Amino acid sequence: LIGFALRQNAEVSLDLYDIYGNHVANMLKGFKNAGKHMINFDRKHLKRGTYFYKLTSGNYSATKKMVVVN
């Protein structure tokens, strides 16, 4: 699960990248209301390793590290 909170209604994009910066998946793209959100995604297709997910909403952008240990 990946959680995030929005201060206001906004278009949101949540993208997953591998350690080399290659785009792996778009986990979310669309409009979300203000408040807390949890995104559940199927990681079965991911190999063990380090990934980065990037949340973009309006002028805001944040990148976090995620480690998959199947």
Side-chain angles (χ1 to χ4, degrees):
L1 289 173
I2 296 175
F4 63 93
L6 298 174
R7 292 184 181 182
Q8 60 189 23
N9 300 344
E11 287 288 328
V12 177
S13 180
L14 184 61
D15 293 291
L16 183 66
Y17 297 89
D18 66 16
I19 192 79
Y20 303 107
N22 299 311
H23 186 263
V24 174
N26 180 273
M27 298 184 286
L28 172 68
K29 186 170 182 110
F31 183 84
K32 290 289 183 186
N33 291 324
K36 294 181 180 181
H37 300 275
M38 297 297 283
I39 303 300
N40 190 9
F41 69 99
D42 183 10
R43 60 180 169 77
K44 292 180 182 176
H45 70 280
L46 297 178
K47 294 181 182 180
R48 180 186 302 195
T50 302
Y51 294 86
F52 296 91
Y53 59 92
K54 181 178 181 181
L55 175 73
T56 305
S57 174
N59 293 331
Y60 176 79
S61 179
T63 303
K64 304 285 183 174
K65 183 168 75 168
M66 173 176 72
V67 178
V68 174
V69 292
N70 294 356

